[in-house]
Amino acid sequence: MPATTALLRRPGHLLLLGALSLGGCIRLGPDFQPPGEPWSRQWQSPALEQASERGTYPDLRQWWQVFSDPVLDRLISEADAHNASLKVAALRVLEARAQLGIAESGRFPQLQQVGVDSLYIDRHQSGGNNPQDTHFWQHSAAFDIGWELDFWGRFSRAIESSDASYFAAQANYEDALVLLRAQVADTYFLLRTTEARLRVARENADQQKRNFEITEQLFTSGQTAELDLQQAKTQYLTTLASIPAFEDQLLRTRNALAVLVGQPPGGSMLLAEQQGLIPLVDRAVLQDVPANLLLRRPDVRAAELNVAAQSALVGVAETDLYPSLTLLGSIVWSSDSLGATPRSLDLIGGPSLRWNIFDYGRIRNNVRVQDARLQQLIEVYRDKVRQAAREADDAASGLSKGLERERILGEAEAAARRSLALANTQYREGYSDFQRVLDAQRALLQLQDSYLVTRANAVSNLIALYKALGGGWQNSAPPIDEPTLQQMQQRTDWGNLLTAPPPQPTYPIPSQVSHHD
């Protein structure tokens, strides 16, 4: 820096002051434009209106509280604290923050180098009038500085891009939260459903076993044909064979749930079997209109921020089309151990202009590459919004139709129970054959199982609806736990980056970010 100051004090360099003051004022490339389409801000869905209502509780960020299930609350808290994928997403935010720091260093001199040399010279001279041997030390020290002025916005656009990438990493972390919480709830209710289906299979197997034993006694005493015996045995064994499949599914679901909450399969996280049916909720509670919720979804915000980051990179590529102006300066001190040699101190400085004028289309084609990538990300964003709307509409329709089917199957199950009771009574009294009992048993088992699956599908669609609207994106706990922070701090000097508050946007980025913050 002293070399540059000395340089600017000399006459004839006022132009450099002007260039320095203009540095960064011109920013090449497109400014970010929101890539959304008009329909996304006014989107409405009849199915979603039917499946949702406006309210304040539960908060969309903690939508699972609608089930009032303390076990589910505990599982989600465990997943927030210990899930590996969520930890990786949080560490990627930290990585993006460090990348932003690298980009921000472009505001300062890019070259700041101190060099110190101490050389021993053994010189042998022969021939001439004064041949001699000389031995001496030569010492030198230099401080070099080079500062490329941000005349075309190369560095400010790079900071803008890293800025948007940092907030995109944050949005990706929040999206990981949304997906994780929905997956935990879905897996937990799948576990509850599998337990219920297993109970139904065991109860029906017990009933069918009793019928088989009765027909076996009747056949032995000659009161019934062998056909009744074999049919009863077939139905009993068929139901019995379904039990191991349910038990295997139950174990796999428990293991999946254990991994989601950060525990080893078959470890201490063994849930007590729940006897009641999974709760049914007939509609989602929303605090805002669906169109706003869609655009607030973390993955939608991340897609928009990726557009903002790439938009700035187009400007970075365009700066290569124009000359770069760099201020160079050096302070050089040199001496040696020879008594007759003077010491020297040199102050060197001046501007340097570089312009790559013959690149055979490389730079322009690189600009085109970056622009094509920008357009790709715009299309990705628009498709992401469309997919989000489709997911919400499908889940809302699935919830409404699932509840409608659940009501019908509930009535059908009651009728099947009555039908089985009548068939057993008529068979014992000799008014009907055993086939009607078997048919009634088979129908009851199928309806009971279908009823449980339908309830599970309705709950799964409610979870999918909350997920489609971005529910559950906020986490009150620190993204990275204290033991991990301590481990990283011991391994690497992170300064205050692990504890400092999140940075604010340096340059204008999508409007959703300001809403989110």
Side-chain angles (χ1 to χ4, degrees):
M1 189 67 70
T4 306
T5 304
L7 169 70
L8 296 177
R9 285 175 181 169
R10 298 181 183 180
H13 295 290
L14 293 178
L15 288 176
L16 292 180
L17 282 172
L20 186 60
S21 65
L22 287 174
C25 292
I26 303 174
R27 300 176 68 207
L28 297 176
D31 291 327
F32 171 76
Q33 298 294 328
E37 297 175 313
W39 72 266
S40 63
R41 290 173 173 80
Q42 302 168 351
W43 178 71
Q44 294 180 342
S45 163
L48 191 54
E49 290 179 2
Q50 181 181 356
S52 64
E53 63 182 5
R54 296 293 294 275
T56 57
Y57 181 84
D59 191 323
L60 188 63
R61 294 170 295 184
Q62 295 179 317
W63 54 264
W64 55 91
Q65 293 180 354
V66 72
F67 295 110
S68 300
D69 191 327
V71 177
L72 178 59
D73 295 344
R74 180 173 62 84
L75 289 171
I76 288 180
S77 296
E78 288 290 316
D80 288 351
H82 304 296
N83 182 264
S85 298
L86 190 62
K87 288 184 177 181
V88 170
L91 291 168
R92 285 175 178 160
V93 176
L94 199 58
E95 176 189 350
R97 188 168 184 179
Q99 292 285 356
L100 176 58
I102 294 174
E104 288 177 336
S105 67
R107 290 195 181 113
F108 306 98
Q110 293 80 31
L111 174 65
Q112 302 171 73
Q113 181 174 311
V114 175
V116 178
D117 298 315
S118 186
L119 305 174
Y120 177 74
I121 300 175
D122 186 358
R123 181 178 295 164
H124 300 276
Q125 292 180 334
S126 60
N129 296 327
N130 188 23
Q132 60 181 349
D133 294 340
T134 307
H135 310 278
F136 63 94
W137 284 88
Q138 179 175 297
H139 310 286
S140 65
F143 173 63
D144 301 318
I145 187 170
W147 193 348
E148 181 182 344
L149 303 181
D150 197 17
F151 196 82
W152 309 110
R154 176 196 301 273
F155 301 110
S156 60
R157 286 296 192 192
I159 295 172
E160 180 183 344
S161 178
S162 295
D163 216 33
S165 295
Y166 166 75
F167 283 97
Q170 276 195 329
N172 285 328
Y173 168 74
E174 292 163 2
D175 185 49
L177 266 175
V178 170
L179 297 177
L180 173 63
R181 288 163 169 176
Q183 192 174 6
V184 169
D186 237 349
T187 307
Y188 170 65
F189 286 123
L190 174 61
L191 179 70
R192 296 274 309 270
T193 301
T194 305
E195 290 172 345
R197 295 177 73 188
L198 178 59
R199 286 197 303 272
V200 166
R202 286 171 174 170
E203 291 169 359
N204 277 270
D206 290 341
Q207 177 63 43
Q208 292 167 9
K209 183 180 180 180
R210 287 193 293 269
N211 288 338
F212 167 59
E213 291 172 346
I214 292 172
T215 55
E216 189 175 29
Q217 293 173 359
L218 293 174
F219 172 71
T220 303
S221 63
Q223 300 180 47
T224 188
E226 184 183 0
L227 178 61
D228 289 347
L229 171 66
Q230 297 302 331
Q231 286 179 328
K233 183 178 181 180
T234 299
Q235 183 162 289
Y236 164 61
L237 293 178
T238 300
T239 303
L240 194 65
S242 68
I243 292 177
F246 285 128
E247 292 174 336
D248 178 62
Q249 184 180 355
L250 189 63
L251 175 64
R252 291 172 183 268
T253 308
R254 284 179 178 270
N255 287 342
L257 194 55
V259 172
L260 283 174
V261 301
Q263 293 194 13
S268 59
M269 200 288 304
L270 294 177
L271 302 173
E273 183 174 345
Q274 302 291 314
Q275 296 298 324
L277 293 175
I278 59 176
L280 277 183
V281 181
D282 61 353
R283 63 190 63 238
V285 180
L286 309 179
Q287 286 80 42
D288 202 348
V289 296
N292 292 342
L293 294 174
L294 284 182
L295 298 180
R296 208 178 301 163
R297 257 178 59 149
D299 58 336
V300 171
R301 286 190 285 110
E304 186 175 10
L305 287 159
N306 288 335
V307 173
Q310 183 60 36
S311 176
L313 290 181
V314 175
V316 174
E318 286 188 13
T319 60
D320 289 335
L321 292 168
Y322 300 92
S324 63
L325 179 63
T326 305
L327 299 181
L328 302 175
S330 297
I331 301 174
V332 182
W333 172 84
S334 62
S335 70
D336 54 47
S337 59
L338 297 176
T341 306
R343 300 176 180 177
S344 64
L345 178 64
D346 300 322
L347 301 179
I348 306 169
S352 173
L353 186 70
R354 295 287 185 272
W355 195 355
N356 197 354
I357 57 176
F358 298 112
D359 66 291
Y360 307 103
R362 179 186 61 84
I363 297 175
R364 289 193 178 278
N365 280 306
N366 183 45
V367 174
R368 294 163 185 156
V369 166
Q370 301 303 325
D371 188 70
R373 291 175 180 172
L374 171 60
Q375 193 60 41
Q376 292 171 35
L377 291 174
I378 290 173
E379 296 303 325
V380 168
Y381 169 81
R382 291 172 177 170
D383 184 65
K384 179 72 71 175
V385 176
R386 286 191 290 267
Q387 293 293 343
R390 180 189 64 82
E391 291 172 10
D393 202 49
D394 289 351
S397 175
L399 175 60
S400 299
K401 298 304 178 182
L403 292 171
E404 182 180 340
R405 188 167 187 262
E406 184 269 343
R407 288 190 292 269
I408 297 172
L409 286 175
E411 294 180 8
E413 182 189 0
R417 286 183 181 276
R418 178 63 178 160
S419 175
L420 177 59
L422 292 174
N424 278 322
T425 300
Q426 292 179 2
Y427 174 67
R428 285 194 299 268
E429 295 177 354
Y431 291 109
S432 66
D433 58 13
F434 189 64
Q435 183 63 45
R436 299 190 69 176
V437 176
L438 295 177
D439 292 341
Q441 286 180 333
R442 186 182 304 110
L444 177 61
L445 175 59
Q446 291 176 347
L447 281 170
Q448 286 178 320
D449 192 69
S450 296
Y451 177 72
L452 292 172
V453 172
T454 298
R455 286 180 70 99
N457 289 339
V459 171
S460 182
N461 276 297
L462 178 65
I463 295 171
L465 178 55
Y466 276 118
K467 181 180 72 171
L469 297 174
W473 53 264
Q474 190 177 52
N475 188 9
S476 57
I480 304 176
D481 58 276
E482 189 62 31
T484 301
L485 292 177
Q486 292 178 359
Q487 181 183 13
M488 296 176 68
Q489 191 69 63
Q490 291 173 0
R491 188 173 57 236
T492 304
D493 181 12
W494 280 88
N496 66 345
L497 202 60
L498 298 178
T499 56
Q504 296 301 310
T506 307
Y507 292 96
I509 53 179
S511 58
Q512 284 79 6
V513 172
S514 60
H515 177 88
H516 158 65
D517 289 339

